[in-house]
C-alpha cells in the first residue's frame, strides 16, 4: 500500500483520525473563542469578532476607557548588569570635577558626615539610576533634586564612574559590628520579604541595588520609612515598597543599625 | 537477539549513575528546606542543586533509558543487529559531553536557572549548549530507530511491525517533534542572550516555546514504561497480552494528542489568550484516553495470567497472581501511583481548579508522583528484566529486588502525598527556605518533615537498586536465552497499514501543533514590545 491509499477518506483510520481531530478542534475553538467569552457577563464585546480577538489574546486598546495618569512619577531607568561596567579614565576624571559640588554633603572622599549616603565605591549603576530618578522627579529631595535637574546623561555616567572608582573607606562614626538580625539573614518569607542580602550583597547582588554597609543609620531608616509610607516611589515594580511596608518598625531599626555598623571594606569587589 | 549489549549497558549504567547522583541532591534539598534543618543560609546552593537535579532527572536520565531500551528493542524485537552502531556510540558520547558541559557551570553556580530555564533569568551559555548536545545526541537515536525499522521493513514487506518496536519508534518521533519547542527557545532566544549578542529576551514567548516541550516530554518519559506494560509484563508473569491492536491505538493516540496540550502549563500567563488555554485544556483531557485504554488492556492481560494460574471468581483471581515476581509488583505499584498522579493531573489541567494549586508544592508533588513514581518504577522493572540478558548473569536475589521496589513505592507515597497536601494549603514551590516558626505555616511543618523522610527512603531504595545491578555483574554466568516480548492472545497476522505506519499520525501531530500553537507563537514573535532585559545569574 502506498501513501495514496493511506491519505484518503476511503481509509477509515484516516477519516476517523482527521475527522475526530478536526471536529474536536472545531468544538473546543467554538467553546474557547465564542461560548466562554460571552459566558463571562463582566466582559463587554463590540461584536463577535471582538470576542474572538479577545479570546485569542490579541492585545486591545480600549478607547472608551481613558487611562488617567494617577499616582507619582515612576522610575524610567533601564539598567543591565554590564552597563557602565568599563568606564574610561576620561570619564572618571570628568566625574571628579563634577563631584566637587557634591562634596558638601557626600564628603570630599565620598564619605559623608551629614547622614547623606557614602558614595565612595558605590556601584556605578546605582548612582546613575538615582541621578536619573532625581532628574525625572521619580525621586525627590529638597536638597538633591535641584542638583540633578541640569545634569546631562553623560554627566551622570561620569559621576557614577568617578564614585565607583573611589576606594571604599570606613564610615565616619563606626559603631561596633552588630550581629546579623533575622530580617537580614532570612527575610520573612511568609510576609514576602526576601533576605536583604539577596539583593544588597552578601548573598547576591542585583543590578541597581546598592551595597549598604557603613551607610548612615538615620539615612537607611528614613529611606525604609519613606518606602513604607509611599513617599519614595522610584523602586522598580515596587520592590522596596512591598518589602518596607511588610517590615515591622523594629525590623526597620534592626536592619538600619546592622548595616550602619558594618565596615564598607567587606563589600566584595565586582570588577 | 541482543548483539550490542555493551551499547545498551553503557546507556543504562550512565542513566542509573546520574540518577543516583541526582537522587542524593533531591534528598538533600528535601532535607534543608524541611524543619529538620535550620537552613543553609545561602539560597544559591539550593537553586544550584535544584538545577542539577532537574536537568539530570528531566533530560539526561530518561533520555538515556529510552535510548538504551530502544536499542535493545530494535535488536530483539526485529531480530536483526542494530544498523548504525557507530552513530549510536556518537549519540552516547554527545550526551556524555553535553552533560559534563552543562553540569560544570551549574556546579560553579553560573547557571542556577532550574531545568525549565526561566527566562529572563540567563545562566552560562555552556549550560544551554550542553543541554542542546544532549538533545542532539538523542536525535541520533531517533534517526537510528527510524532507519532500523526501514531496514527491517525492506526485508519483511507487509508484515506487522512488532508492537514493542512500533511503540518505540512512535516514542522516538514524539520526542523528535516535542524537543523542537525547547530547541527553538534555546537557539533563537536564550543562547544569543547567554552569549551576549542580545541583552533582552521575550520571556513570554520563551515560556510558550517551552510549554511545547514541557508536556509532551512527560509522554516521552512515559513511553518506556508503557512499552514495558504491554510487551514485558504479560510475558514476565506468565500470561498473554489481551490486545495487540489496543496497544497500537494507545501509542498512536499518545503520538497525536501528547503535543497540542502544553499551554496548560501557562494558564497563569497573561501573554496567551484564554481561548487557546481552553483548547489546550480540553485536548489535555484526551490524554487520559490512551492511559485508560492501557489500564484496561493490562488489567485484562494480568487477569488472563491469573486465570491461567487457577484464579477464580470476579476478584479472587487477584490472589492467584505471582506477587513474588518483581515485575508483577512493579506494575501494580506503578498503576497505583499512576492512578493517584493521574487524578491530580485532572486538577492541573482544569483552567479553574488549577488556580488553587498553581505554583504550589502540589505541582512538584504531582510530577514526582507521575515521573518518579509510576514511570521510574517501571524503569527499574525494565532494568531487572533486561539485566540477565545484557550481562549473561542472573540477578543475585529476588527478595532484595522486591524490597527495593517496596521501598520505592512506600517512599514515593510518603514523599508525595504530604507534598500535595501542603500545596493545597498554599505552600509555594521553588523556595529555598520556609520559616516554620511562623504561625501561618507552622501547621505544615509536620507534613514537610514526613515528606523529607520519604525522600530518604527513596534514596535508600535507589542505592539498593544500583547495588543490585552492580552485584549482578559478579554472579556466575548463566544463559538467559533470547530476549522475548509478550505474545498477544490472538496472534497478529495482519495489521491495517494505518496501525502499522506513522504517516497519518505524524501528520496529525504536526497539524494539531500548528492549529494549537501557531497563532500564540506568531503573534508574540511579531510584536516588538514584549522583550524584557535579561537577568544574568551571578552578574553584579
Amino acid at each position: 500500500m502506498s501513501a495514496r491509499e493511506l491519505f484518503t477518506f476511503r481509509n477509515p483510520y484516516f477519516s476517523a483520525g482527521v475527522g475526530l481531530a478536526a471536529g474536536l478542534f472545531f468544538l473546543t475553538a467554538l467553546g474557547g473563542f465564542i461560548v466562554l467569552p460571552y459566558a463571562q457577563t463582566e466582559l463587554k464585546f463590540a461584536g463577535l469578532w471582538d470576542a474572538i480577538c479577545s479570546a485569542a489574546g490579541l492585545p486591545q486598546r480600549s478607547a472608551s476607557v481613558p487611562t488617567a495618569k494617577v499616582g507619582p512619577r515612576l522610575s524610567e531607568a533601564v539598567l543591565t548588569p554590564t552597563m557602565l561596567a568599563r568606564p574610561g579614565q576620561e570619564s572618571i576624571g570628568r566625574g571628579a570635577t563634577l563631584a566637587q559640588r557634591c562634596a558638601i554633603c557626600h564628603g570630599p572622599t565620598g564619605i559623608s558626615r551629614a547622614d547623606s549616603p557614602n558614595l565612595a565605591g558605590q556601584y556605578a549603576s546605582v548612582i546613575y539610576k538615582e541621578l536619573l530618578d532625581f532628574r525625572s522627579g521619580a525621586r525627590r529631595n529638597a536638597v538633591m533634586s535641584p542638583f540633578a535637574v541640569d545634569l546631562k546623561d553623560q554627566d551622570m555616567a561620569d559621576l557614577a564612574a568617578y564614585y565607583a572608582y573611589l576606594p571604599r573607606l570606613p564610615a565616619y562614626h563606626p559603631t561596633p559590628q552588630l550581629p546579623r538580625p533575622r530580617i537580614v539573614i532570612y527575610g520573612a518569607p511568609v510576609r514576602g520579604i526576601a533576605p536583604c542580602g539577596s539583593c544588597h550583597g552578601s548573598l547576591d547582588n542585583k543590578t541597581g541595588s546598592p551595597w549598604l554597609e557603613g551607610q548612615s543609620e538615620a539615612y537607611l531608616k528614613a529611606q525604609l520609612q519613606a518606602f513604607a509610607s509611599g513617599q519614595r516611589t522610584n523602586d522598580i515594580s515596587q520592590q522596596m515598597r512591598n518589602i518596607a511596608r511588610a517590615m515591622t518598625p523594629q525590623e526597620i531599626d534592626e536592619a538600619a543599625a546592622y548595616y550602619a555598623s558594618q565596615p564598607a571594606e567587606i563589600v566584595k569587589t565586582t570588577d | 537477539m541482543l548483539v550490542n549489549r555493551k551499547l545498551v549497558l553503557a546507556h543504562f549504567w550512565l542513566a542509573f549513575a546520574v540518577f543516583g547522583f541526582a537522587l542524593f541532591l533531591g534528598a538533600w534539598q528535601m532535607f534543608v528546606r524541611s524543619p529538620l534543618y535550620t537552613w543553609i543560609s545561602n539560597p544559591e546552593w539550593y537553586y544550584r542543586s535544584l538545577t542539577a537535579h532537574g536537568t539530570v532527572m528531566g533530560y539526561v536520565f530518561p533520555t538515556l533509558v529510552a535510548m538504551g531500551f530502544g536499542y535493545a528493542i530494535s535488536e530483539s524485537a526485529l531480530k536483526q543487529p542494530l544498523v548504525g552502531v557507530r552513530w549510536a556510540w556518537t549519540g552516547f558520547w554527545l550526551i556524555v559531553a553535553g552533560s559534563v558541559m552543562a553540569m560544570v557551570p551549574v556546579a560553579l553556580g553560573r547557571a542556577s536557572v532550574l531545568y525549565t530555564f526561566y527566562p529572563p533569568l540567563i545562566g552560562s551559555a555552556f549550560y544551554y549548549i550542553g543541554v542542546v548536545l544532549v538533545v542532539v545526541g538523542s536525535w541520533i537515536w531517533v534517526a537510528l530507530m527510524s532507519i532500523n525499522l526501514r531496514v527491517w521493513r525492506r526485508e519483511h514487506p507487509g508484515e506487522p511491525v512488532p508492537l514493542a518496536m512500533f511503540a518505540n519508534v512512535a516514542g522516538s518521533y514524539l520526542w523528535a517533534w516535542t524537543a523542537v519547542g525547547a530547541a527553538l527557545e534555546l537557539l533563537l532566544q536564550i543562547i544569543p542572550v547567554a552569549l551576549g549578542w542580545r541583552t533582552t529576551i521575550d520571556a513570554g514567548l520563551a515560556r510558550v516555546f517551552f510549554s511545547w516541550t514541557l508536556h509532551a516530554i512527560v509522554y516521552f518519559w512515559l513511553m518506556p514504561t508503557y512499552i514495558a506494560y504491554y510487551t514485558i509484563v504479560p510475558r514476565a508473569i506468565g500470561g498473554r497480552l489481551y490486545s495487540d491492536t489496543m496497544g497500537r491505538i494507545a501509542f498512536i493516540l499518545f503520538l497525536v494528542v501528547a503535543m497540542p496540550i502544553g499551554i496548560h502549563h501557562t494558564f497563569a500567563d497573561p501573554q496567551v489568550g484564554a481561548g487557546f488555554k481552553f483548547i489546550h485544556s480540553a485536548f489535555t483531557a484526551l490524554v487520559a484516553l490512551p492511559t485508560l485504554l492501557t489500564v484496561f488492556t493490562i488489567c485484562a492481560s494480568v487477569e488472563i495470567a491469573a486465570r491461567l494460574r487457577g484464579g477464580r471468581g470476579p476478584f479472587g483471581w487477584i490472589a492467584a497472581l505471582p506477587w513474588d515476581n518483581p515485575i508483577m509488583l512493579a506494575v501494580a505499584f506503578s498503576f497505583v501511583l499512576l492512578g493517584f498522579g493521574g487524578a491530580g493531573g485532572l486538577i492541573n489541567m482544569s483552567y479553574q481548579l488549577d488556580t488553587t494549586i498553581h505554583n504550589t508544592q502540589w505541582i512538584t508533588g504531582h510530577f514526582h508522583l507521575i515521573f518518579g513514581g509510576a514511570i521510574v518504577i517501571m524503569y527499574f522493572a525494565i532494568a531487572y528484566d533486561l539485566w540477565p540478558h545484557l550481562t549473561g548473569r542472573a540477578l543475585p536475589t529476588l527478595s532484595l529486588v522486591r524490597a527495593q521496589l517496596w521501598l520505592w513505592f512506600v517512599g514515593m507515597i510518603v514523599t508525595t502525598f504530604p507534598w500535595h497536601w501542603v500545596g493545597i494549603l498554599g505552600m509555594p514551590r521553588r523556595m529555598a527556605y520556609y520559616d516554620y516558626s511562623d504561625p501561618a505555616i507552622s501547621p505544615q511543618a509536620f507534613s514537610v518533615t514526613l515528606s523529607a523522610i520519604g525522600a530518604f527512603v527513596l534514596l535508600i531504595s535507589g542505592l539498593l537498586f544500583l547495588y543490585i545491578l552492580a552485584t549482578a555483574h559478579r554472579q556466575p554466568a548463566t544463559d538467559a536465552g533470547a530476549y522475548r516480548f509478550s505474545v498477544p492472545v490472538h496472534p497478529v497476522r495482519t495489521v491495517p497499514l494505518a496501525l502499522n505506519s506513522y504517516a497519518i499520525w505524524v501528520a496529525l501531530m504536526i497539524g494539531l501543533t500548528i492549529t494549537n500553537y501557531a497563532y500564540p507563537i506568531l503573534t508574540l514573535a511579531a510584536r516588538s514590545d514584549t522583550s524584557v532585559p535579561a537577568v544574568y545569574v551571578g552578574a553584579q
Side-chain angles (χ1 to χ4, degrees), chain A residues 1 6-7 11 13-14 17 21 24-25 28-29 31-33 36 55-59 81 182 185-186 189-190 203 205 268 270, chain B residues 39 41 43 273-276 278-279 282-283 286 433 435 438 440 496-499 501 503-505 508 515-516 519 527 536 539-540:
Chain A
M1 274 213 267
L6 211 51
F7 286 87
N11 176 356
Y13 290 94
F14 177 77
L24 275 167
F25 179 75
T28 51
F33 290 110
L36 286 179
L58 199 69
R182 281 183 71 82
I185 316 174
Y186 302 127
V190 176
L203 294 179
N205 186 269
K268 53 182 174 180
T270 56
Chain B
W39 105 283
S41 300
F276 283 101
F278 177 77
I279 292 179
F283 271 83
L286 283 181
Y433 168 74
D435 179 5
D438 191 288
L497 179 60
L499 298 186
S501 62
I504 300 178
W505 317 115
L508 270 178
T515 57
N516 289 10
Y519 183 84
R527 289 185 60 168
Y536 292 91
Q540 300 285 333

Side-chain angles (χ1 to χ4, degrees), chain B residues 70-71 74 78 80 82-83 138-154 165 168-170 172-173 176 502 506:
Chain B
Y71 293 134
S74 177
L78 301 183
Q80 68 180 24
L82 189 74
V83 177
S138 70
W139 278 346
I140 293 183
W141 166 75
V142 172
L144 285 179
M145 289 301 96
S146 183
I147 291 168
N148 275 277
L149 181 61
R150 192 166 294 226
V151 169
W152 181 86
R153 275 209 168 117
R154 235 187 351 242
M165 189 60 182
N168 180 34
V169 176
S172 76
Y173 288 163
Y502 306 94
V506 169

Side-chain angles (χ1 to χ4, degrees), chain A residues 190-216:
Chain A
V190 176
R191 280 177 278 146
I193 304 178
C196 306
S198 61
C199 291
H200 293 286
S202 81
L203 294 179
D204 198 1
N205 186 269
K206 299 282 156 53
T207 307
S209 312
W211 53 262
L212 304 171
E213 282 79 355
Q215 299 292 0
S216 147

Side-chain angles (χ1 to χ4, degrees), chain B residues 161-361:
Chain B
V161 179
L163 179 62
M165 189 60 182
F166 184 77
N168 180 34
V169 176
S172 76
Y173 288 163
L174 177 63
W175 171 240
W177 183 242
T178 193
V180 168
L184 288 174
E185 181 195 7
L186 286 171
L187 297 175
L188 299 180
Q189 293 196 278
I190 291 181
I191 290 177
V193 181
L195 289 172
W197 298 338
R198 279 210 308 261
T199 53
T200 60
I201 186 163
D202 186 342
L205 178 59
R207 285 178 59 82
V208 174
F209 272 137
F210 198 75
S211 80
W212 166 328
T213 295
L214 189 54
H215 203 73
I217 196 175
V218 180
Y219 295 100
F220 166 62
W221 299 339
L222 204 73
M223 280 294 178
T225 294
Y226 272 56
I227 296 174
Y229 287 162
Y230 280 99
T231 65
I232 294 181
V233 171
R235 185 258 299 149
I237 62 168
R240 289 198 159 205
L241 178 62
Y242 175 70
S243 167
D244 180 89
T245 311
M246 202 84 103
R248 284 170 199 271
I249 292 177
F251 287 108
I252 281 169
L253 278 173
F254 272 127
L255 195 55
V256 176
V257 295
M259 251 316 296
I261 64 178
I263 279 180
H264 72 246
H265 287 257
T266 63
F267 276 163
D269 284 31
Q271 80 279 14
V272 183
F276 283 101
K277 288 174 182 169
F278 177 77
I279 292 179
H280 281 245
S281 175
F283 271 83
T284 311
L286 283 181
V287 182
L289 208 64
T291 295
L292 292 177
L293 281 181
T294 302
V295 171
F296 175 81
T297 312
I298 300 308
C299 285
S301 311
V302 167
E303 189 184 339
I304 291 171
R307 295 202 186 278
L308 285 173
R309 294 167 60 91
R312 293 276 172 275
F315 295 105
W317 58 268
I318 294 172
L321 284 168
W323 289 107
D324 54 346
N325 184 329
I327 306 293
M328 185 66 234
L329 267 189
V331 73
F333 292 156
S334 179
F335 270 23
V336 171
L337 299 170
L338 186 67
F340 282 112
L346 293 180
I347 291 173
N348 304 345
M349 55 138 263
S350 314
Y351 197 177
Q352 284 82 358
L353 288 176
D354 178 70
T355 54
T356 58
I357 43 92
H358 172 74
N359 258 351
T360 67
Q361 296 281 10

Side-chain angles (χ1 to χ4, degrees), chain A residues 124-142:
Chain A
S125 59
V126 170
I127 297 171
Y128 180 70
K129 173 182 181 297
E130 296 308 316
L131 286 171
L132 274 178
D133 289 347
F134 275 120
R135 185 178 68 178
S136 73
R139 186 176 176 188
R140 271 173 305 223
N141 177 284

Side-chain angles (χ1 to χ4, degrees), chain B residues 98 101-102 105-106 110-135 185-187 190-195 201 535 537:
Chain B
M101 200 177 191
V106 172
R110 306 304 296 181
S112 303
V113 295
L114 313 198
Y115 86 109
T116 36
F117 308 147
Y118 290 113
L121 220 51
I122 296 290
S124 158
F126 288 106
Y127 170 69
Y128 305 111
I129 296 170
V131 172
V132 169
L133 286 186
V134 170
V135 173
E185 181 195 7
L186 286 171
L187 297 175
I190 291 181
I191 290 177
V193 181
L195 289 172
I201 186 163
V535 178
V537 169

